[in-house]
Amino acid sequence: MIQMIVQYEVKQNLLSQYHETIHKISTMLPDFEADMFSCSQSEDRNIFIESFYVPTEAHYHAMKKMRLSRHHSVFGILEDFVPGGLERIGFMAIKQKR
């Protein structure tokens, strides 16, 4: 199992739309075999950190590719929310020991 961590900044003026979008993202992640979703915001800036688990490294790489796609119907919406666009999103994978 892989813990996937996704970090990015959100523009201040788009926070309310972002919250609607992150809700959509959280409800669709199980369709990609992702579970245990959480999202937190840093206290001093609009930095958000998502965390969830996917079953394999292949799932991680496929999810990362989708998250960076401007053409994805939901993930692509983040392009407008993140200063600098989707390429400014950071990803990390932590392999869980069984």
Side-chain angles (χ1 to χ4, degrees):
M1 182 175 285
I2 307 291
Q3 180 183 11
M4 186 166 184
I5 298 170
V6 185
Q7 179 178 325
Y8 47 86
E9 183 176 358
V10 174
K11 296 174 185 174
Q12 177 69 34
N13 62 325
L14 296 175
L15 282 176
S16 62
Q17 294 101 312
Y18 165 77
H19 288 293
E20 293 172 20
T21 301
I22 200 65
H23 177 71
K24 288 180 190 172
I25 288 172
S26 70
T27 59
M28 68 182 283
L29 283 175
D31 295 343
F32 303 103
E33 298 182 62
D35 63 359
M36 294 190 281
F37 176 82
S38 68
C39 183
S40 58
Q41 180 179 2
S42 68
E43 291 191 21
D44 58 337
R45 295 181 61 202
N46 295 329
I47 304 291
F48 289 85
I49 300 171
E50 297 176 38
S51 172
F52 51 90
Y53 293 84
V54 293
T56 66
E57 287 182 45
H59 283 81
Y60 167 81
H61 291 293
M63 177 65 69
K64 182 177 176 181
K65 186 175 181 179
M66 276 190 292
R67 294 296 302 258
L68 291 171
S69 172
R70 289 178 180 84
H71 305 294
H72 191 279
S73 61
V74 177
F75 299 135
I77 297 170
L78 292 177
E79 170 75 15
D80 295 330
F81 298 162
V82 177
L86 294 176
E87 57 271 5
R88 301 288 299 174
I89 295 177
F91 296 89
M92 187 168 56
I94 301 172
K95 192 169 191 172
Q96 303 296 307
K97 292 184 179 179
R98 299 199 182 246

